Every structure is written in C-alpha cells, then in structure tokens.
Amino acid sequence: MEIPIFRSDKILSHIDRVYDWLEGKNPPPITVELDLTNRCNNNCPKCIGFRQPVVDLQNPKKIIKEIVQFGVRGITFSGGGEPLLHPELTDCVKYTSGLGADVAVISNGLAMTKSIAWKIKPYCTWIRISLDAFKPETHERVHGVKGVLETVKANIKSLAKSVGKATIGVGFLVSKEVLDEMLPATEFCKEAGVDYIQFRPFHYDFTPIDKELKKCLKLQTDKFKVLYSKAKYDCMKDGSFQRDYTICYGQQFASVITATGKVYLCCHFRANPKYCLGDLNRQSFAEIWNSRRRFQVIKNINLKECVPLCRCDSFNQILFSIKAKKEHINFL
C-alpha cells in the first residue's frame, strides 16, 4: 500500500516549479537533504553513505537561511552521519520551521532521547527512525553496534508518545536475513503508537517480501499503516530495472548538502567528486545552482553509474512522460 506521503506524483503538487522547468528555466530545488555531521553512533556495513574524516557542518543556520530564501520548501536533516549528534540539531529544526520551510529528520533512533523528541517533534512535518531488524543479533549485524536495540525501541515509543504534530514512521530495509522479522517489527510499531512502518529493499537486494508483507498488512488500522515501496517491488517482480529514460530530470527538484558544505547532485553520489556541484564555503547556494559547473555535471551524468531504482527513478518516469512531445493534445 502507498499513501500520499510516498507517492511519486506528489511532485505535481509543485506545478509552478515543474512548469518553469518545462519552460527551460532553472527553478530552485523543492527538497534539500542537509547533512549536519559525518559522525555516527552506528557502523552499518551496508551503509551507502560515505566514510570520510569526521566533520560537523559549520554555520548550519546561515546555510539554512540561504537555501530557504532561495526557494527550498523542505529540508531533511539526514546523513551523512547521525543528525542528532550535531550539537545544533534541535536549534536548527526550530529555526528552519520558523523560516517557513517544512522540516524532516531521519535518525537511527539511538540518540533520540525523550528530551530531544519533545524539542523537535512540534516543529517537524515527519520523523523517521531506521530500525531495519528486530532481533538483537540481527540488529547488531545490520547496524554494526552491539546491545542497542532495546534502547532504540524505547526511544521509538517515547517519540511516538511525545507532543507534536509530526508524522512518526519507522523505516525497515529488507534483506533475506530479516524477512522473518518483518511481522514482529510491525507488531511492535503498532503497539508503540507510530503512524507507519515502511518496508524498502536494500540497493541491489531483490528479496521478494510478498508472503511476509501479507501478514503485516493485516495489522493495519485507520491510525497505523503498513507501507512498502510498491513501485520498486513491482519492478523487482518483472525484472524491469532498465531505465527507459536517458536523462535524469529528478535532480532539478532535489539536492544534497554534506557536512563539509559541499553540494552534490543527489543522495547516492555523496562525496563523489564527479558529481559535486560546488562548495558553500566558497559560493552561495544560488551561485552553485546557476553555475556552469552544475550544468556540466548534469550533462555528463552516466545513468549506468546510478543504483537500480534510485530515489529519482520514479520521479524521472513522471517527468520524462511530461517532457515528451504529445500529439492531439485536445483529445483526452
């Protein structure tokens, strides 16, 4: 099941930006992922994030103000590393909300104390905790740290019960080794009072989940949803991993700023110098977005280097269809 928060066609809610793009203009991105730090209290062996010398983003409020004033509508504090480890996370969340932008936080949940939860939940649109396993030994293998699962579970419960408007979700990346943990994780999330659990595949892991998912879906209620990346799993079933488009259009509407202050094409190319658009320590975000360097990077995108079913894939399907020449347009 998919609900509007995960539907790819929500990009059409920003029809003004899409229209400007169709007219050949260069509209600002709608969403930016902002990595406050490279530090992490987990050590996930399958993490697609980058491993570099530890660094915290300097002057984050200055960057936040700059990109919101440029036209960014939503900021996700993600990683990179674990955003809750940055000393200014709670202030940045409140500050971003005060500027009028929507705020989201993705965390592994280990540092999501009751104090932090109560400070950020009122200012966020959504918060998602990455659980990914439900047995202590499996969680240790998946997250690379020992004996923390019970703490994460307690923090999820505390977050769900804290006061605030934010939608609270639990992310669960599925591989073969955690298939039998989908159902108990769903049972826990329902009991904990979160709004949803979402199942997604690891990149390059095409484990089918139909049998276990069917059991989990029976636990849905009006207040608790069991979600999954339907488009990705449908593609996995029929083997349609080949892109039927030749240009990445999705990068126009989303971007990533890492803890070093560098701006990258997308979340999958963090720290890849080939896809670095510029450095906020030297240029403004507006200068980077309109720079010759950015347009050159876009021109040289090699889709063969992109992971299967990447973040922008479903958006690209929609945008490529919109961009394509139409005939007999007045006959629907």
Side-chain angles (χ1 to χ4, degrees), residues 208-259:
I209 65 170
D210 300 55
K211 184 178 178 181
E212 296 302 318
L213 179 65
K214 188 175 181 179
K215 300 175 187 177
C216 297
L217 287 170
K218 293 179 180 179
L219 298 176
Q220 286 194 120
T221 67
D222 290 340
K223 294 183 178 180
F224 173 69
K225 301 301 180 183
V226 176
L227 312 176
Y228 68 106
S229 299
K230 185 178 186 302
K232 292 184 179 182
Y233 281 110
D234 285 349
C235 287
M236 287 162 56
K237 285 180 183 179
D238 60 24
S240 57
F241 298 111
Q242 296 299 319
R243 293 172 168 85
D244 55 4
Y245 51 87
T246 56
I247 302 172
C248 178
Y249 291 140
Q251 48 73 31
Q252 180 69 55
F253 302 97
S255 191
V256 173
I257 300 172
T258 66

Side-chain angles (χ1 to χ4, degrees), residues 297-315:
V297 169
I298 294 170
K299 181 180 179 181
N300 292 329
I301 294 173
N302 182 358
L303 295 182
K304 292 181 180 180
E305 296 177 350
C306 300
V307 298
L309 308 176
C310 69
R311 176 186 175 185
C312 283
D313 182 67
S314 56
F315 294 118

Side-chain angles (χ1 to χ4, degrees), residues 68-310:
V68 172
Q69 289 182 339
F70 184 58
V72 171
R73 293 170 174 171
I75 295 178
T76 303
F77 294 104
S78 181
E82 167 54 48
L84 271 61
L85 297 185
H86 192 284
E88 296 183 58
L89 180 275
T90 56
D91 290 339
C92 287
V93 167
K94 184 176 180 180
Y95 181 72
T96 305
S97 177
L99 291 175
D102 284 350
V103 187
V105 174
I106 300 176
S107 168
N108 59 43
L110 185 54
M112 184 64 76
T113 63
K114 183 181 294 186
S115 174
I116 291 177
W118 281 75
K119 288 178 180 178
I120 68 172
K121 190 176 178 182
Y123 302 101
C124 289
T125 299
W126 57 268
I127 301 171
R128 189 172 74 232
I129 304 298
S130 302
L131 185 59
D132 308 319
F134 203 68
K135 295 177 183 177
E137 62 272 19
T138 317
H139 190 273
E140 178 182 340
R141 289 197 297 272
V142 172
H143 283 268
V145 286
K146 188 175 183 178
V148 302
L149 177 59
E150 291 306 313
T151 299
V152 173
K153 288 164 61 178
N155 289 346
I156 290 172
K157 288 182 178 180
S158 178
L159 175 62
K161 293 177 181 177
S162 60
V163 176
K165 63 184 173 101
T167 299
I168 305 301
V170 168
F172 200 101
L173 286 168
V174 182
S175 64
K176 187 175 181 180
E177 72 172 323
V178 297
L179 269 178
D180 63 340
E181 298 174 42
M182 288 174 59
L183 182 58
T186 303
E187 292 171 335
F188 162 77
C189 288
K190 182 177 180 179
E191 187 274 332
V194 303
D195 296 295
Y196 68 86
I197 184 170
Q198 185 203 21
F199 298 108
R200 295 177 294 137
F202 272 108
H203 293 299
Y204 302 104
D205 189 318
F206 308 136
T207 302
I209 65 170
D210 300 55
K211 184 178 178 181
E212 296 302 318
L213 179 65
K214 188 175 181 179
K215 300 175 187 177
C216 297
L217 287 170
K218 293 179 180 179
L219 298 176
Q220 286 194 120
T221 67
D222 290 340
K223 294 183 178 180
F224 173 69
K225 301 301 180 183
V226 176
L227 312 176
Y228 68 106
S229 299
K230 185 178 186 302
K232 292 184 179 182
Y233 281 110
D234 285 349
C235 287
M236 287 162 56
K237 285 180 183 179
D238 60 24
S240 57
F241 298 111
Q242 296 299 319
R243 293 172 168 85
D244 55 4
Y245 51 87
T246 56
I247 302 172
C248 178
Y249 291 140
Q251 48 73 31
Q252 180 69 55
F253 302 97
S255 191
V256 173
I257 300 172
T258 66
T260 61
K262 292 184 178 180
V263 182
Y264 288 87
L265 183 79
C266 80
C267 60
H268 302 293
F269 289 128
R270 282 182 171 96
N272 185 332
K274 178 180 176 181
Y275 294 103
C276 179
L277 307 181
D279 189 341
L280 290 171
N281 297 299
R282 301 176 181 177
Q283 302 168 278
S284 70
F285 190 84
E287 289 172 335
I288 292 171
W289 200 250
N290 293 294
S291 67
R292 180 180 299 177
R293 164 69 185 177
R294 175 171 170 264
F295 292 117
Q296 191 63 43
V297 169
I298 294 170
K299 181 180 179 181
N300 292 329
I301 294 173
N302 182 358
L303 295 182
K304 292 181 180 180
E305 296 177 350
C306 300
V307 298
L309 308 176
C310 69

